[in-house]
Amino acid sequence: MAGNSIGREFTITTFGESHGRVVGVLIDGCPAGLALSEIDLSKELELRIPDNPKIVSARMEKDQPQILSGVFNGFTTGAPITITVENKETKSSDYKAIKNLPRPAHSDYPARIRYGGFNDYRGGGRFSGRITVALIMAGVVAKKLLAHYDIEVLAYTQTIGPVRSNKKFTVTEIKENRYATATRCPDGVCAEKMEAAIIAAREAGDSVGGVVECVALNMPAGIGEPLFDTLDGDLAKILFSIPAVKGVEFGAGFRAAELRGSENNDAFCLKDNKVVTTTQNAGGILGGLSNGMPIVIRVAIKPTPSIAKEQQTVDLATMENTQISIKGRHDFCVVPKAVPAVEAAVAVTLVDHLMRLGKVPKILKEP
């Protein structure tokens, strides 16, 4: 299997490039009987683009998904589902002048070496954040399947640059408020500070990164495939497929290294005749298996590499040192756009692991 597919029972294969004709996804293994429409997909894709033009790229695609196969009379058939969106707002001329100048912190140089210069360099090609559109569409299907089992996946922005929200949000607050702000932070006051941080970076010809936190609720205990297909391992793998992701942690994460066992251990107790933990340092996963508690993941997103500030690079045509200042339409912070992508990635992996244990039937209901 090439690197464009992931999953064993619920398998997704993404295709397309940033400035190519389409971006799309092929989903294999979805049970028959799931209600699915292009409107469902459009609603989720609209969440990618913040409604504040000061913090987002001028490339504003009006994504109109097309379901090409696997759906009949409004329900999945059990056959592979193919979904595409067209790339209409491309401006490839921005990249012709710098095709021999690898952008610092971008995939330009290693991709050129790996593919002998035949790779599509426009807009980052296959390595662009634009490709998360395919992941988000797969996530729509995955989240609809999870909803049949009352499993929810909720992501939101926790940090942008130096601005961090330390508020402990309720599930209701996350649901109602995360998309009410352009930065996708449920804390309205903090969200305004995050916007200001992005605008300040933009005015300086620079960019900022941040952290997306994701919570999966109502996952049953015992889901995962140790030792090499652990639940946290597979979640980390798909999350690292999102461009700009540089770190993934569960529960206390790296902070656990500073704690004593007595501080880090999550004690068990009974609550309403159910085994739960009194704290959440493990993030809902022990030994690669879900423990029945909410799964808590944080994803570190690096600053957008394409910035107006002058940077050093190498002209690969002349093999001389040179400078580059990147023009064109770029995000100054991709964290808000990453929120639905992180949510989708987690949902896809949870469905795949549930199906491995037969928790999701091949047919959801009779017509």
Side-chain angles (χ1 to χ4, degrees):
M1 182 186 295
N4 299 301
S5 303
I6 196 166
R8 186 188 300 171
E9 296 295 325
F10 186 84
T11 305
I12 70 168
T13 301
T14 69
F15 54 90
E17 294 86 18
S18 178
H19 286 221
R21 182 175 177 182
V22 300
V23 172
V25 63
L26 175 67
I27 305 167
D28 199 4
C30 178
L34 181 71
L36 181 65
S37 71
E38 291 170 350
I39 293 176
D40 296 328
L41 297 158
S42 294
K43 288 180 179 178
E44 197 79 6
L45 288 174
E46 287 174 2
L47 300 178
R48 286 185 67 245
I49 311 298
D51 57 6
N52 183 347
K54 293 182 179 180
I55 69 168
V56 72
S57 164
R59 180 180 177 180
M60 304 288 281
E61 293 278 5
K62 301 294 184 182
D63 291 321
Q64 297 178 323
Q66 291 185 296
I67 299 175
L68 304 182
S69 68
V71 176
F72 179 65
N73 288 334
F75 292 90
T76 57
T77 64
I81 302 167
T82 308
I83 314 170
T84 63
V85 295
E86 290 187 55
N87 293 321
K88 295 182 178 181
E89 296 296 324
T90 58
K91 190 178 177 183
S92 301
S93 59
D94 289 338
Y95 296 92
K96 290 181 180 179
I98 60 170
K99 69 176 184 178
N100 292 317
L101 307 178
R103 296 166 294 173
H106 262 288
S107 61
D108 298 347
Y109 175 68
R112 178 164 171 156
I113 299 301
R114 170 68 175 81
Y115 300 107
F118 287 101
N119 59 296
D120 186 344
Y121 59 82
R122 301 169 301 171
R126 184 72 180 139
F127 302 91
S128 168
R130 175 70 179 153
I131 306 305
T132 60
V133 167
L135 182 58
I136 290 171
M137 293 191 295
V140 171
V141 179
K143 285 193 285 186
K144 287 174 73 71
L145 286 169
L146 292 177
H148 277 259
Y149 307 92
D150 297 320
I151 297 171
E152 292 185 279
V153 182
L154 305 170
Y156 61 91
T157 299
Q158 185 182 71
T159 303
I160 285 184
V163 183
R164 176 186 176 89
S165 175
N166 292 312
K167 186 176 180 180
K168 298 296 183 182
F169 301 109
T170 66
V171 172
T172 300
E173 286 175 328
I174 297 172
K175 285 183 179 180
E176 294 182 355
N177 300 330
R178 60 194 172 129
Y179 286 115
T181 68
T183 57
R184 309 323 192 200
C185 177
D187 182 342
V189 174
C190 193
E192 290 184 4
K193 295 178 181 178
M194 290 177 173
E195 286 190 36
I198 297 173
I199 293 170
R202 172 185 180 174
E203 291 174 348
D206 220 324
S207 62
V208 288
V211 174
V212 174
E213 181 164 279
C214 186
V215 181
L217 304 168
N218 302 322
M219 271 293 288
I223 305 300
E225 297 287 338
L227 288 173
F228 297 111
D229 291 327
T230 60
L231 185 58
D232 45 355
D234 278 358
L235 284 166
K237 180 176 181 178
I238 194 170
L239 286 166
F240 275 115
S241 75
I242 299 172
V245 170
K246 297 302 289 184
V248 175
E249 67 174 12
F250 297 82
F254 277 86
R255 189 172 63 85
E258 304 170 6
L259 304 176
R260 290 189 174 186
S262 57
E263 297 171 309
N264 183 65
N265 295 346
D266 298 318
F268 290 105
C269 69
L270 284 174
K271 183 177 181 181
D272 299 327
N273 206 34
K274 179 183 177 182
V275 176
V276 299
T277 61
T278 58
T279 52
Q280 267 286 71
N281 290 321
I285 299 177
L286 290 168
L289 300 168
S290 58
N291 66 4
M293 295 296 289
I295 296 173
V296 181
I297 311 169
R298 280 176 297 280
V299 182
I301 310 290
K302 71 179 181 181
T304 313
S306 293
I307 59 176
K309 276 193 171 184
E310 195 169 79
Q311 303 174 83
Q312 182 175 316
T313 188
V314 172
D315 187 328
L316 298 178
T318 64
M319 293 306 291
E320 296 176 341
N321 290 324
T322 188
Q323 302 292 314
I324 184 172
S325 176
I326 301 168
K327 307 295 191 294
R329 302 172 299 171
H330 304 285
D331 289 294
F332 314 101
C333 178
V334 296
V335 176
K337 285 185 176 179
V339 169
V342 167
E343 198 170 279
V346 171
V348 165
T349 302
L350 296 185
V351 167
D352 182 45
H353 273 268
L354 286 165
M355 292 182 70
R356 294 184 195 189
L357 295 182
K359 301 291 186 181
V360 178
K362 297 295 182 182
I363 302 175
L364 295 179
K365 63 178 182 179
E366 292 294 334

